[in-house]
Amino acid sequence: MAASFLRIPLPRVRTSRWRRTPVLGIHTTAAHMQLSHQDFEKAQKDLKTLKKDPGNDTKLQLYALFKQATQGSCNAPKPGMLDFVNKAKWDAWNSLGNLSKDEAIKSYIELVHNLISSEAPVKDPASVSAGQKYDTLQVVSEDNITKIYLNRPEKKNAITLQMYNEIGLALDEAAKDDSVFTVLTGNGDYFCSGNDLNNFTNIPPEGKEKMASDSADILQAFVGKFIDFPKPLIAVVNGPAVGISVTILGLFDMVYATDRATFHTPFSQLGQSPEGCSSYTFPRIMGLSKAVEVLLFNKLLTAHEACKHGLLTEVFPDSTFQKEVWERLKAYGQLPKNSLAFSKQLIRETDKKALHAANIQECERLKERWLSEECMNAIISFFQKKAKL
Ligand code: COA
């Protein structure tokens, strides 16, 4: 079970994030309890079948729930400050306080269920429309929905140049296919960590001006696909979002997020400037002064804050997120396709010209920013920090 995952060293962990582990209803009858214990054993077995590393935070969460479920509240002595791994595990367990064993079992089962279902969304191999032809995405057609999964979980779904192109292609196909609407989501614990900063390190022989110009063209085409997408476009934000994965949210028709998600656009920190039409959409969605705080001053929003400011449609508890969201979307997938598409187009049409203009301006500015000393220094600093770890 979880213990086997936890043999992997856990270098940097944020335990505070999941103190919010939702407590689900408790089974009260003997029959229910028996079922829960059987489910608990099954969940431990299922966990071993996970193909991808679910990330440190999730592993700690599993560890803590398992300890709480089997031994009750944390009663072990606190490890020393320098014993990082055991300290992180102890903190995780201890943060569950006096959560009952039954509640811990229930949350553990839910969490494993969500991990398994997010990893294996394809029930029928025949329903995979185009998954195999993408290196960085997984595309699944089911329930009248085209589901585009960002699929570089080990890099927090950072978007490489190839991935920009592949997302564009997947959107082109989704626009034409039989689906009622399209969903963008991420595999793993992150929705997306934004532009892959390695995009700036591959300087072509023609020089960095060419790199900046090509990147701006790719970005402009990428964002253009979202502006022109003819059917409802829904984001299922399965974890933290950074940079462009936040700014394009203003171009989606609905955004559902787990309460574990955060929204961060550290552009000025990186010597850059906003994209994804956020210079146009964010002030309109959240008001000018909040947009300024977010886009200029790197203000990180929690999911509930982002929802309060209008960027999200709804926030769900992490433990039930996948189940609740996909059930709801499955029902929406039964609605008449053309009616939804025409209604979306009516809502979006008036803004389209302005959005394309904003996209062009933002990409022009970024072309200049990417060549600036401010930006270069910030990128070098990111990779230097990494190298020191
Ligand atoms: N570009 C390139 N690599 C990235 C990346 C990005 N945007 N985001 C994550 N990665 C890589 C990390 O370098 C690391 O690679 P490694 O395993 O080869 O060392 C891997 O993904 C896992 O990320 P890590 O940093 O170990 O995870 P974390 O949970 O500690 O932190 C982030 C996650 C997203 C907070 C951190 O990676 C980060 O700050 N990334 C940069 C985000 C960014 O500035 N995006 C651009 C916005 S405009």
Side-chain angles (χ1 to χ4, degrees), residues 338-359:
N338 293 332
S339 167
L340 285 187
F342 290 138
S343 302
K344 179 228 162 108
Q345 287 162 27
L346 281 171
I347 291 172
R348 289 283 171 181
E349 200 52 46
T350 40
D351 267 353
K352 250 190 185 176
K353 232 171 114 183
L355 288 169
H356 280 296
N359 185 22

Side-chain angles (χ1 to χ4, degrees), residues 357-374:
N359 185 22
I360 292 169
Q361 275 185 350
E362 288 174 350
C363 292
E364 273 302 309
R365 174 52 60 207
L366 275 170
K367 207 188 315 183
E368 175 273 324
R369 288 286 76 210
W370 288 330
L371 295 172
S372 71
E373 216 178 297
E374 287 178 341

Side-chain angles (χ1 to χ4, degrees), residues 14 16 71 122 189 216 353:
R14 289 178 290 271
S16 57
Q71 295 180 29
V122 188
D189 62 340
K353 232 171 114 183

Side-chain angles (χ1 to χ4, degrees), residues 12 154-156 158 190 193 195-197 270 382 386:
R12 285 176 290 151
E154 70 291 351
K155 297 289 177 190
K156 311 289 179 193
Y190 257 66
S193 62
N195 195 19
D196 189 310
L197 297 173
L270 291 166
F382 174 79
K386 245 184 80 160

Side-chain angles (χ1 to χ4, degrees), residues 24 57 59 192 285 294 347 349 351 378 380:
L24 301 163
D57 281 0
K59 286 187 281 191
C192 171
I285 290 171
V294 167
I347 291 172
E349 200 52 46
D351 267 353
I380 291 167

Side-chain angles (χ1 to χ4, degrees), residues 148-150 157 183-193 234-242 244-250 252 254-264 301-303 306 311-318 321-322 325-326 329:
I148 302 174
Y149 289 80
L150 305 177
N157 294 324
V183 171
L184 184 74
T185 188
N187 275 334
D189 62 340
Y190 257 66
F191 177 54
C192 171
S193 62
I234 298 171
V236 170
V237 182
N238 56 296
V242 186
I244 187 153
S245 69
V246 178
T247 54
I248 49 163
L249 292 179
F252 280 76
M254 286 207 303
V255 183
Y256 289 150
T258 160
D259 62 4
R260 195 172 54 77
T262 51
F263 299 83
H264 195 204
L301 299 178
T302 64
L311 189 61
L312 312 183
T313 312
E314 194 170 332
V315 179
F316 298 77
D318 193 53
F321 175 65
Q322 297 285 346
V325 163
W326 292 117
L329 293 179

